[in-house]
Amino acid sequence: MELLRRTTPAPGPGEVLLELCYAGICHTDVNMISGAYGPGSGYAPNYPVVLGHEFTARVVDVGSGVDDLSQGTRVVSGCHLTCGLCRWCAEGRSMLCVERRVIGLDADGCWAERFIAPRRNLVALPNSVSDTLAALAEPFAVGAHAVDLSGVTMGERVAIIGPGTVGLLTLGALAGHDVSVIGRRADAPQLDHARDFGAKEVIISGDLSDDMEPFDVIFETAGNAAAASLGAARLAPGGRLVCVGLPAQSAHIDTAQLAWQEQAIIGSRAYDISTWQTIPQRLANAPQLEAIVSHKLHFEELNRALQLIETREATKVLLHP
């Protein structure tokens, strides 16, 4: 892939011109490149579109009406462009906004030296959060929102199924809780990270037995149907399964068992704009998560970055200008 040259955009009212520090690559970006998100996918890109929705950036300039961000301020941001007026925005569930668009998918994103973002999406970073750690803010917010939805309380048995990037960041958002992380044998490097990041135990899914104690709260972050089915089967009475992943296939779940045991399945979709007010401090409380970043590559090395992700040699790849 070749780098394209575009004219630097000017910020309009309520907008901010940003200079990129680091941009993350996630599987959504990979799917966009492969053409998996066509008609009916829920996204409506107007090609050509600039990819990328995970970033750390610095303020370069501001549009009219923006008077609380100075040049050089480091910021992170959610990727949803929402109306702010509909029922869902008013109820603090802007991820369900009827006019929601996503930067890097429906609109130009952050894989650029300079790009525009709405002021209402941005939050400033404290000095205690490095540029590298901050680049994980967007997927970290996904995990943080799931934790908030779960209603998890101290003393409950908690598990995460799927030790990928979102699973590990969810572990970071569960600071203070005893958490078991469940993965496949092929996930050994990620399970090692989970152990380093404070997991109470790591478990190979094939080693689970019927006599093992069930969990009060399970976060499914693997993104496959088998993981969701496993999570439902491993719930304790009154337990909650929080589905964060997006499996391509339908999961098998015994709804009669849910009724008998008064268990619940909760869908967790990204985050609300309000979630972001908590993200800088929550990241500051989990500095160990920076170790998730395994590679930092120049934009010109995008093909290599995609190969590292495809072969699973990389845990998390960041791009920079």
Side-chain angles (χ1 to χ4, degrees), residues 42-317:
Y43 301 111
N46 183 20
Y47 297 109
V49 64
V50 178
L51 299 181
H53 57 275
E54 306 174 6
F55 65 84
T56 311
R58 288 184 173 84
V59 174
V60 175
D61 194 9
V62 299
S64 62
V66 180
D67 55 11
D68 58 346
L69 285 179
S70 58
Q71 187 175 18
T73 300
R74 296 183 310 134
V75 295
V76 289
S77 167
C79 66
H80 296 164
L81 304 174
T82 55
C83 72
L85 300 172
C86 70
R87 165 194 171 187
W88 301 113
C89 288
E91 293 180 2
R93 302 179 74 184
S94 60
M95 73 291 288
L96 302 178
C97 175
V98 294
E99 297 182 14
R100 181 186 64 90
R101 296 184 300 145
V102 181
I103 67 169
L105 294 166
D106 303 305
D108 282 346
C110 64
W111 288 8
E113 293 179 344
R114 294 187 172 187
F115 59 98
I116 296 290
R119 169 62 186 95
R120 67 193 296 261
N121 282 39
L122 302 174
V123 291
L125 291 166
N127 292 333
S128 57
V129 178
S130 71
D131 288 348
T132 303
L133 179 60
L136 301 172
E138 198 277 338
F140 178 83
V142 172
H145 175 64
V147 171
D148 295 344
L149 274 182
S150 73
V152 62
T153 59
M154 298 304 295
E156 289 190 303
R157 279 179 52 79
V158 182
I160 295 170
I161 302 178
T165 298
V166 172
L168 293 174
L169 293 172
T170 302
L171 174 61
L174 284 161
H177 295 274
D178 290 335
V179 183
S180 301
V181 178
I182 302 169
R184 304 166 300 174
R185 296 193 189 281
D187 296 326
Q190 289 80 10
L191 290 172
D192 286 341
H193 274 310
R195 191 180 286 107
D196 294 339
F197 294 166
K200 176 184 177 182
E201 61 179 346
V202 298
I203 304 171
I204 302 298
S205 55
D207 294 341
L208 288 167
S209 60
D210 292 338
D211 60 354
M212 295 180 71
E213 190 175 353
F215 297 95
D216 300 301
V217 183
I218 297 177
F219 297 89
E220 185 282 300
T221 59
N224 65 66
S229 298
L230 175 63
R234 290 289 165 176
L235 282 179
R240 289 94 70 201
L241 171 64
V242 184
C243 294
V244 184
L246 299 172
Q249 305 297 325
S250 298
H252 173 77
I253 294 175
D254 185 347
T255 58
Q257 186 69 13
L258 292 179
W260 278 109
Q261 302 293 336
E262 285 214 335
Q263 298 161 334
I265 298 176
I266 302 170
S268 180
R269 181 177 184 175
Y271 39 72
D272 178 55
I273 287 180
S274 64
T275 306
W276 282 85
Q277 301 308 311
T278 73
I279 297 305
Q281 187 55 55
R282 291 166 89 164
L283 274 177
N285 293 338
Q288 72 277 10
L289 295 177
E290 187 170 324
I292 291 175
V293 177
S294 57
H295 296 77
K296 298 177 181 179
L297 301 176
H298 191 274
F299 279 145
E300 293 179 344
E301 299 177 275
L302 177 58
N303 287 333
R304 180 180 172 225
L306 296 174
Q307 183 179 29
L308 288 168
I309 293 169
E310 182 179 358
T311 60
R312 303 191 68 182
E313 294 177 63
T315 306
K316 185 66 175 180
V317 179

Side-chain angles (χ1 to χ4, degrees), residues 1 25 27-36 51 111 302 306:
M1 295 184 185
I25 304 178
H27 286 284
T28 306
D29 303 313
V30 176
N31 287 337
M32 279 290 287
I33 292 170
S34 68
L51 299 181
W111 288 8
L302 177 58
L306 296 174

